[in-house]
Amino acid sequence: MGRPGQPGGKDTGGDQSKKKLPTQFVNFVFFKVDPAWRRLSREEQEKGKQEFASVVEEYRQSGMMVHSYSMVGIRSDADFMLWRISKSVEQFQEMMTRLLHTGLGKYLEITYSYLSFTKRSMYVDKMDPEHQNPRVYIIPGMKKYLFVYPFIKTRDWYQLSYPTRQGMMDEHIQVGSKYPSVKLNTTYSFGIDDQEFVVAFETDEITDFSVLVQELRETEASRYTLRDVPMFTCIHHPDVKEALNTL
């Protein structure tokens, strides 16, 4: 997990020796604020933000991981984002219903929302064969910047043999290993959302991520990318109220 393209061991299905960890459901939800919000009085704005932040904190206390990010001045179609990780999809819905009924929530539009979950990667990290991280449990929010995008492979990719795909992933992993400052979180969406994967890269150095992406474009596996946009550059604010104060 600590470097881009770094998968866990191959999932053989019947291997009971690997520790069974609970599945994490993951949601990246992006909000756009109605311009009318900024014409409210300062008191109304503060009350609405506090109501919103209080709901977020309540769900954090109940065990949901919630990380907040701002995109004000960076993208025109989203102002802030919540990265939520829960044991159930129903909890996402329950929380969102409450958020949208806060003073701030009444002025919010959800412009993007990606649903995914964690599972073991089928590809082997041959550079670190003893690597045991199964990618079924992620702990995000440690870096200043987050880059999120949905990802879809071409159907031709899935028609290739496993050894062929593993060979291409070896190259992918080798490139990623050159950028230890960038942490990759891969989540899966097959059958539950429009994309196949949602990938989220965390780093303290924006340029490291940009150079990594440029180099990955030259790998053989890149030929089998159907879509990897929109791409979001997000600035982390550990306190959700701090993110809301950028609105």
Side-chain angles (χ1 to χ4, degrees):
M1 187 73 68
R3 64 176 187 260
Q6 182 175 346
K10 182 179 178 181
D11 186 1
T12 60
D15 187 355
Q16 298 300 317
S17 65
K18 293 175 181 176
K19 184 179 179 181
K20 177 70 173 178
L21 294 175
T23 297
Q24 292 175 304
F25 291 98
V26 182
N27 176 237
F28 301 87
V29 58
F30 296 82
F31 300 93
K32 179 70 177 175
V33 181
D34 189 314
W37 160 259
R38 296 184 177 92
R39 294 192 286 271
L40 297 177
S41 68
R42 180 61 60 87
E43 291 75 19
E44 288 179 285
Q45 289 183 15
E46 286 303 312
K47 181 181 178 182
K49 289 188 290 186
Q50 188 56 54
E51 290 176 357
F52 191 98
S54 294
V55 173
V56 170
E57 186 57 33
E58 180 181 333
Y59 279 86
R60 278 178 171 165
Q61 293 298 321
S62 72
M64 180 187 290
M65 281 189 259
V66 186
H67 294 275
S68 50
Y69 298 82
S70 177
M71 283 149 288
V72 170
I74 298 174
R75 283 191 70 100
S76 62
D77 54 356
D79 293 316
F80 72 99
M81 184 271 285
L82 296 181
W83 183 0
R84 304 185 294 172
I85 302 175
S86 174
K87 295 179 181 179
S88 73
V89 173
E90 288 81 3
Q91 196 175 34
F92 292 151
Q93 185 178 74
E94 176 189 283
M95 178 185 179
M96 187 56 62
T97 298
R98 292 187 57 189
L99 287 174
L100 294 178
H101 282 82
T102 63
L104 171 60
K106 296 173 183 178
Y107 290 88
L108 295 179
E109 176 187 359
I110 298 175
T111 52
Y112 301 92
S113 183
Y114 301 110
L115 178 65
S116 56
F117 62 95
T118 59
K119 74 180 187 74
R120 194 183 304 276
S121 173
M122 68 182 294
Y123 300 108
V124 177
D125 186 348
K126 294 182 179 178
M127 295 184 66
D128 185 7
E130 299 303 317
H131 181 65
Q132 296 299 313
N133 190 337
R135 273 194 183 175
V136 296
Y137 195 86
I138 58 177
I139 303 177
M142 301 296 107
K143 302 293 184 178
K144 183 176 181 180
Y145 302 106
L146 178 72
F147 305 91
V148 181
Y149 59 90
F151 188 79
I152 298 177
K153 289 282 199 179
T154 66
R155 292 298 176 90
D156 287 343
W157 170 260
Y158 299 103
Q159 300 305 309
L160 297 172
S161 68
Y162 174 78
T164 299
R165 284 180 282 148
Q166 177 68 65
M168 294 187 199
M169 291 307 298
D170 291 345
E171 180 189 21
H172 188 90
I173 293 167
Q174 190 278 328
V175 171
S177 69
K178 295 162 57 177
Y179 300 88
S181 64
V182 182
K183 175 188 175 185
L184 168 62
N185 301 282
T186 300
T187 60
Y188 300 79
S189 299
F190 290 91
I192 65 171
D193 209 337
D194 293 346
Q195 68 281 341
E196 295 171 351
F197 311 88
V198 184
V199 290
F201 294 83
E202 298 178 88
T203 186
D204 289 324
E205 299 293 336
I206 290 181
T207 53
D208 285 359
F209 174 69
S210 181
V211 175
L212 165 63
V213 171
Q214 183 177 359
E215 189 164 349
L216 287 174
R217 290 290 190 270
E218 300 174 1
T219 62
E220 184 69 13
S222 183
R223 296 176 54 191
Y224 295 92
T225 298
L226 180 63
R227 191 182 76 207
D228 57 359
V229 291
M231 182 173 286
F232 302 90
T233 298
C234 314
I235 300 175
H236 187 214
H237 292 268
D239 186 339
V240 67
K241 190 69 182 302
E242 292 180 7
L244 300 180
N245 285 340
T246 66
L247 301 176

